Amino acid sequence: MERFPSDQTPLPRNMIENSMFEEEPDVVDLAKEPCLHPLEPDEAEYEPRSSRLLVRGLGEHEMDDDEEDYESSAKLLGMSFMNRSSGLRSNMSVYRQNPNGSCSVLSIRTVVVCIAVFAIVISLILAIYLLPTCTFTKEGCHKKNHTMELIYPLATNGKLFPWAKIRLPSDVVPLHYDLVLQPNLTTLKFSGSVKIVVNIIQVTWKIILHSSGLNITNVTITSARGHEPKRVEFLEYPLHDQIAVMAPEALLVGQNYTVNIEYSSNLSDTYYGFYKISYKDENSTQRWFAATQFEPLAARSAFPCFDEPAFKATFLIKIRRDEKLSTLSNMPKKATTPVTDGIVQDEFIVSLKMSTYLVAFVVADLKNISRETNDSLVSVYAIPQHLNQVEYALNTAVKLLEFYQKYFLITYPLQKLDLVAIPDFQSGAMENWGLITFRETTLLFDNNTSSARDKKLITAVIAHELAHQWFGNLVTMEWWNDLWLNEGFATFMEYFAMEEVFPELHSDEDFLNLIFKAMMKDSLNSSHPVSSAVQSSEQIQEMFDAVSYIKGASLLLMLKHYLSKDVFQAGIEIYLHNHKYGSAQSDDLWDSMNEITNGTLDVKKLMKTWILHKGFPLVTVVRKGKIISIQQEKFLYRVEPENWTSDASYLWHIPLTYITSSCNLTHCTNACLLDQKSAVIELPEEVEWIKFNVDMNGYYIVHYSEDWKTLIDLLKKNHTALSPKDRANLINNIFSLASLGKESLEKAFELIDYLNKENSTAPLTQALFQLSLIYSLLEKNGEQQLAERVMHRIDHLLGNKIDQQSWTDDGTLSERELRSMLLAFACTHDMRNCRTAATEMFEKWMKSNGTASLPSDVMKAVFTAGAKSSDGWEFLLKMYSSSVSEAEKSKMIEALASTDDVRKLIRLMQNSLEEEVIRAQEISHIVATVSQSLPGYLLAWDFVKENWEKLTRKFHLGSYTIQNIISCSTSQFATKAHLLEVKSFFESKSEETSQLRCVKEAIDTIQLNIQWMERNVAKLRELL
């Protein structure tokens, strides 16, 4: 899945058991405690304390192996008395000690007391263990005919629900689904039935699977021997989205059974599951559209299923629809047959084995264009009025599909590949096998209004989703802890494929800037390892972040450069071949790589130091003549020393690269592995300068100690001695070190003094990003005069560059993108004569009632200038509602959110949330833009607080949208009052909310902002 641009550790068994009985709880109190059975590391559960109930009553025949753990826990109820007694014994001075340290004989009194205590203990043990039919509760002793007490939750009907874990049991596995759905786009409801063929791995009396929000009306089980379907009881446990189908007899090992479930539900009004979308057609008539978004946990809200990625099965899908509409699913259509008047049924051919989250279907009025390549039909679909904007996507998809098949040496296995533009879609796109769904802005290219930046975005998203057809679909991560195997790989392949197929787009520069941003997140204590234990839905949703996507991808980039591209490619081929149509863990990838390295390098040992530990290393370099001393430590922003665990002893195995003044070309790159705390490199000769982390291909930051001055002088004299990526890398590293307190801001500003000679996008983008961070922090925290001095410095460095930009779409894609960025920045901050020139263009456009043509690369700058006036803002909003170009509308949104008029900002945010003119999919983008301005940053936070319940109902706790909204609305705060307010707000919500990683990240960021202001404001006054 393409995010749209912008742990619980289990206690050891003895600790679980002992901590239960520190006090003497009665049975009702114990019922409120979490599950007591020991968990595997990947099964660490999160569950609200209030959800557990102690329930009695399963007979012996209803227990399986997993339940035996509950038996031992239940027996321990008696241990509370023993622990209390043994505690007394340990606290009694049974022996009197002589001064010389030897023990004297027991006193008579002590012997009597010991015998009495021992007798009491024995009596209690006998009372508990010899009365197995007695259950102690607050009401007294209750006789039961059952043999054992089990700790299980209650189903909705008050009966015992026979499973207590979030993860499904492994005693039953699905083989095949027959799914029939009938969505009604008038009533906005749907009905369905699913037949699931399951295979029994262990004898059981129950089948546990997922269901969420479905009204189940009938459940039957049929054995493989073809007996009549038997209607059976089912139980529901909504807290875990689980149902239990209770078999009338034991389900036998190795046998197949068919579970048939009939149900109905409403089409969702969120962006998850099987959801409804309204849009206006060419005649401005409201139409309805139904689509799916199942990743990560929403297939269960469209049909009952085993909704975990490792439970792969085949799917036969049939959809009943209005004959005027069309349907799409993962596989090609097999047949269409009439059902009743005006209703037909589309049947699709049986799918390959795949995970439930990849199942997809769309019911709508769509048009398409198609082209065949390598026996697969590639089609791009959109609503009719957008059909003229799909050609670029089709050409791009065909080229990328051909590239991936050659690179992986595995043919795309389906007969068709559909790319569908969805009018309302939360993510950037979703990789459903054979039916990729996109937000319209990431698929539709309008020749008149789409900019160079838009073209790059569309290409990148298509490249990402097509890479998933192999990484994620053909081979799927076993569980969400290894999400990076899907998303890190797809992100890595996205940029690699773009470099190979579309070199003119210079996508490597974009990847570089994404890595810098990921490292900012990864340097906080609230970060997480690339591979992290997850259990609850919120934890799973939060894995869709920059660490899984960007850090995962950058680690693969680092490995590719270290192994060589041929070895890396061979390792990928083995990995895909060994695990196709199955599931994999991180170790499976490293094992595949080790098959190629054949003992020359232990890839698993190397990469485990990166994926199992959060953060990244800081490498300090000291040069003395020919001797280079290097040392590693963790790069970490520290805000509350008393809460930190020391990582001083942690070692990464770092593939270091470096170039020197003696030869700075690519083929002169030197490499070595730093797997110790420190090491020494001896050069063959003395050099003028040395630069580590060539082209930022490694995931680490470098501190050059005394050598920073040498590199600063090099940039002033001959900046082209280093590549654009190396120059951007130096800018990023020195500002990061200044924030850490390892270098001075003065030296950082000195390094960027060369920028008036810079013409490359990567270093200019990075310098502007770093200076904008400083400007925003000062401006929002009462230091407006100092902020203006920062802007003056930016003007001094980049003013001439801004003046050189033409208001056209001329030049290479890279030049056009740079122009777009510089002019948008200049108009936003009223630099030079940018706003005057842009306002003139906007007024001409407004006088033509929006019919005059605007150069697409400067459109955002023109709209931003125009939206500063009240009339301009209102006109832009009117044009937004009638525009058919999603690229144009995206630029309008950003301009509308850049106004200084507070009332208009409130209106805009509210409008998006209520979906009056602007879709809710835009809310994250709007809040992020509003947060950047001085009039808007407090408004954005107030809006989030006031509408928190609405936002989390629409977007789900932990989702990337919620992560982004929290981050953007709080990232400008730098006072203790705001820190307290943010902490208090999230603590006042649910426990799940306060424990969100993005909340902790927001708090870390505010604390760092406070620290930065305290450290640097006085220094900046002197410096500027």
Side-chain angles (χ1 to χ4, degrees), residues 584-845:
Q585 301 176 356
S586 296
D587 279 358
D588 296 318
L589 175 62
W590 312 139
D591 289 339
S592 299
M593 294 289 177
N594 279 341
E595 284 188 44
I596 302 298
T597 59
N598 199 24
T600 57
L601 173 70
D602 189 342
V603 176
K604 186 187 288 188
K605 186 178 178 185
L606 168 82
M607 294 309 292
K608 277 195 165 187
T609 69
W610 293 93
I611 68 159
L612 298 180
H613 197 72
K614 66 184 179 184
F616 55 88
L618 167 63
V619 176
T620 301
V621 176
V622 178
R623 179 169 64 102
K624 289 184 180 172
K626 293 192 291 183
I627 303 300
I628 312 294
S629 300
I630 50 177
Q631 182 175 316
Q632 66 161 294
E633 62 187 289
K634 184 168 187 174
F635 185 101
L636 183 66
Y637 292 119
R638 297 178 180 274
V639 285
E640 291 177 336
E642 67 275 11
N643 292 337
W644 302 82
T645 52
S646 173
D647 287 299
S649 62
Y650 189 81
L651 289 176
W652 282 268
H653 290 193
I654 312 171
L656 294 174
T657 54
Y658 60 92
I659 50 172
T660 68
S661 55
S662 63
C663 182
N664 60 348
L665 301 173
T666 308
H667 67 267
C668 296
T669 299
N670 301 279
C672 63
L673 187 69
L674 178 62
D675 57 3
Q676 302 297 321
K677 183 78 175 166
S678 58
V680 170
I681 300 170
E682 186 172 352
L683 301 176
E685 58 185 344
E686 285 197 31
V687 294
E688 291 176 30
W689 54 264
I690 187 167
K691 161 72 174 69
F692 276 80
N693 202 358
V694 178
D695 282 342
M696 184 65 196
N697 287 328
Y699 193 74
Y700 56 94
I701 280 178
V702 184
H703 181 24
Y704 292 93
S705 302
E706 299 85 5
D707 252 14
W708 274 115
K709 187 175 186 319
T710 309
L711 292 166
I712 289 168
D713 291 341
L714 175 67
L715 290 175
K716 285 178 180 172
K717 290 174 190 170
N718 180 22
H719 68 284
T720 56
L722 297 174
S723 71
K725 285 197 279 190
D726 272 333
R727 302 197 293 271
N729 178 222
L730 288 177
I731 293 168
N732 171 268
N733 282 194
I734 199 162
F735 275 95
S736 299
L737 290 164
S739 295
L740 195 64
K742 292 256 184 191
E743 262 305 342
S744 66
L745 260 181
E746 183 179 5
K747 199 168 278 184
F749 274 90
E750 195 182 342
L751 184 135
I752 58 172
D753 272 342
Y754 89 96
L755 280 180
N756 49 20
K757 296 184 287 185
E758 182 62 81
N759 291 308
S760 295
T761 306
L764 286 169
T765 302
Q766 183 55 204
L768 204 51
F769 175 75
Q770 295 292 345
L771 292 170
S772 296
L773 284 180
I774 294 171
Y775 171 82
S776 292
L777 207 51
L778 294 169
E779 182 198 38
K780 311 293 189 307
N781 292 283
E783 293 289 345
Q784 277 87 353
Q785 285 188 333
L786 197 51
E788 284 307 313
R789 288 190 227 167
V790 172
M791 197 52 66
H792 182 73
R793 176 61 69 97
I794 294 172
D795 188 278
H796 170 72
L797 292 171
L798 302 178
N800 290 339
K801 199 82 57 201
I802 291 165
D803 288 342
Q804 290 163 14
Q805 304 305 313
S806 63
W807 294 79
T808 67
D809 285 339
D810 298 337
T812 65
L813 277 170
S814 192
E815 289 167 347
R816 290 171 59 189
E817 198 174 352
L818 180 62
R819 175 190 303 133
S820 189
M821 178 187 73
L822 288 173
L823 290 178
F825 181 86
C827 284
T828 299
H829 296 286
D830 203 9
M831 289 172 67
R832 302 288 168 133
N833 68 341
C834 181
R835 201 173 281 182
T836 307
T839 303
E840 284 176 14
M841 292 179 77
F842 182 83
E843 285 172 354
K844 285 180 188 173
W845 180 72

Side-chain angles (χ1 to χ4, degrees), residues 540-607:
I540 291 167
Q541 293 265 8
E542 282 206 289
M543 288 298 284
F544 291 81
D545 69 354
V547 172
S548 296
Y549 283 71
I550 313 302
K551 181 178 180 179
S554 61
L555 296 182
L556 292 169
L557 176 72
M558 180 170 70
L559 183 62
K560 172 177 165 268
H561 280 278
Y562 189 58
L563 294 179
S564 83
K565 64 180 184 180
D566 293 337
V567 170
F568 182 79
Q569 183 178 357
I572 285 178
E573 288 167 10
I574 287 177
Y575 170 73
L576 290 173
H577 276 283
N578 286 354
H579 300 283
K580 61 186 177 183
Y581 305 110
S583 302
Q585 301 176 356
S586 296
D587 279 358
D588 296 318
L589 175 62
W590 312 139
D591 289 339
S592 299
M593 294 289 177
N594 279 341
E595 284 188 44
I596 302 298
T597 59
N598 199 24
T600 57
L601 173 70
D602 189 342
V603 176
K604 186 187 288 188
K605 186 178 178 185
L606 168 82
M607 294 309 292

Side-chain angles (χ1 to χ4, degrees), residues 249-351:
E249 57 193 18
L251 303 176
L252 304 177
V253 173
Q255 295 293 309
N256 289 354
Y257 296 85
T258 301
V259 181
N260 185 26
I261 304 175
E262 296 170 12
Y263 62 95
S264 62
S265 189
N266 295 320
L267 290 169
S268 172
D269 54 7
T270 71
Y271 289 104
Y272 302 93
F274 194 16
Y275 73 100
K276 64 191 180 201
I277 300 158
S278 77
Y279 68 97
K280 299 279 179 69
D281 66 13
E282 301 102 316
N283 304 316
S284 296
T285 304
Q286 186 186 42
R287 301 289 301 274
W288 287 97
F289 187 123
T292 57
Q293 170 59 45
F294 289 163
E295 189 179 33
L297 307 172
R300 63 192 68 174
S301 64
F303 59 100
C305 56
F306 293 77
D307 201 10
E308 293 182 7
F311 285 119
K312 290 192 168 186
T314 55
F315 293 81
L316 171 62
I317 294 173
K318 299 173 185 174
I319 298 177
R320 294 174 181 173
R321 54 152 174 108
D322 187 310
E323 62 186 0
K324 294 173 186 171
L325 299 174
S326 58
T327 59
L328 298 170
S329 188
N330 304 83
M331 305 302 290
K333 199 175 291 180
K334 180 181 178 182
T336 299
T337 53
V339 179
T340 58
D341 285 348
I343 302 294
V344 296
Q345 176 175 283
D346 291 329
E347 180 179 339
F348 299 87
I349 68 172
V350 177
S351 76

Side-chain angles (χ1 to χ4, degrees), residues 163-428:
W163 189 250
K165 296 183 183 182
I166 292 177
R167 297 282 297 274
L168 296 180
S170 55
D171 52 6
V172 179
V173 296
L175 301 177
H176 176 75
Y177 293 79
D178 270 5
L179 176 62
V180 180
L181 286 165
Q182 183 165 352
N184 186 322
L185 296 189
T186 303
T187 63
L188 304 178
K189 298 177 185 294
F190 70 95
S191 59
S193 67
V194 63
K195 290 180 181 175
I196 312 173
V197 179
V198 298
N199 180 253
I200 308 303
I201 306 299
Q202 255 182 308
V203 175
T204 184
W205 291 72
K206 66 187 185 305
I207 298 173
I208 310 292
L209 65 160
H210 288 112
S211 171
S212 177
L214 301 176
N215 175 31
I216 296 173
T217 53
N218 188 39
V219 181
T220 63
I221 291 182
T222 312
S223 74
R225 292 187 292 273
H227 295 153
E228 283 296 307
K230 291 183 182 176
R231 188 163 185 171
V232 294
E233 181 186 20
F234 67 94
L235 303 170
E236 297 178 283
Y237 185 45
L239 189 67
H240 288 172
D241 291 342
Q242 289 172 358
I243 59 171
V245 176
M246 307 305 292
E249 57 193 18
L251 303 176
L252 304 177
V253 173
Q255 295 293 309
N256 289 354
Y257 296 85
T258 301
V259 181
N260 185 26
I261 304 175
E262 296 170 12
Y263 62 95
S264 62
S265 189
N266 295 320
L267 290 169
S268 172
D269 54 7
T270 71
Y271 289 104
Y272 302 93
F274 194 16
Y275 73 100
K276 64 191 180 201
I277 300 158
S278 77
Y279 68 97
K280 299 279 179 69
D281 66 13
E282 301 102 316
N283 304 316
S284 296
T285 304
Q286 186 186 42
R287 301 289 301 274
W288 287 97
F289 187 123
T292 57
Q293 170 59 45
F294 289 163
E295 189 179 33
L297 307 172
R300 63 192 68 174
S301 64
F303 59 100
C305 56
F306 293 77
D307 201 10
E308 293 182 7
F311 285 119
K312 290 192 168 186
T314 55
F315 293 81
L316 171 62
I317 294 173
K318 299 173 185 174
I319 298 177
R320 294 174 181 173
R321 54 152 174 108
D322 187 310
E323 62 186 0
K324 294 173 186 171
L325 299 174
S326 58
T327 59
L328 298 170
S329 188
N330 304 83
M331 305 302 290
K333 199 175 291 180
K334 180 181 178 182
T336 299
T337 53
V339 179
T340 58
D341 285 348
I343 302 294
V344 296
Q345 176 175 283
D346 291 329
E347 180 179 339
F348 299 87
I349 68 172
V350 177
S351 76
L352 301 176
K353 270 183 74 175
M354 63 182 184
S355 304
T356 47
Y357 78 86
L358 294 169
V359 173
F361 26 89
V362 170
V363 183
D365 178 16
L366 294 169
K367 302 292 182 191
N368 71 289
I369 62 172
S370 305
R371 188 186 312 161
E372 192 159 328
T373 176
N374 293 342
D375 298 324
S376 291
L377 185 67
V378 181
S379 306
V380 183
Y381 288 82
I383 55 176
Q385 62 261 46
H386 288 157
L387 189 63
N388 63 343
Q389 299 175 39
V390 301
E391 189 175 359
Y392 178 75
L394 180 63
N395 295 336
T396 302
V398 168
K399 287 178 185 174
L400 287 165
L401 192 64
E402 290 169 352
F403 168 76
Y404 285 137
Q405 292 182 106
K406 286 177 188 170
Y407 186 79
F408 299 137
L409 293 181
I410 296 178
T411 305
Y412 173 70
L414 305 186
Q415 297 166 23
K416 62 97 173 172
L417 175 64
D418 297 335
L419 293 77
V420 187
I422 307 287
D424 199 10
F425 198 73
Q426 182 186 356
S427 306

Side-chain angles (χ1 to χ4, degrees), residues 392 445 451-462 494-495 498 504-510 761 813-814 817:
Y392 178 75
F445 184 85
S451 64
R453 183 81 202 151
D454 296 326
K455 178 175 278 192
K456 193 182 273 192
L457 172 66
I458 291 165
T459 310
V461 176
I462 293 173
E494 158 191 346
Y495 289 102
M498 285 172 73
E504 72 279 3
L505 292 180
H506 296 284
S507 59
D508 54 332
E509 294 177 352
D510 293 293
T761 306
L813 277 170
S814 192
E817 198 174 352

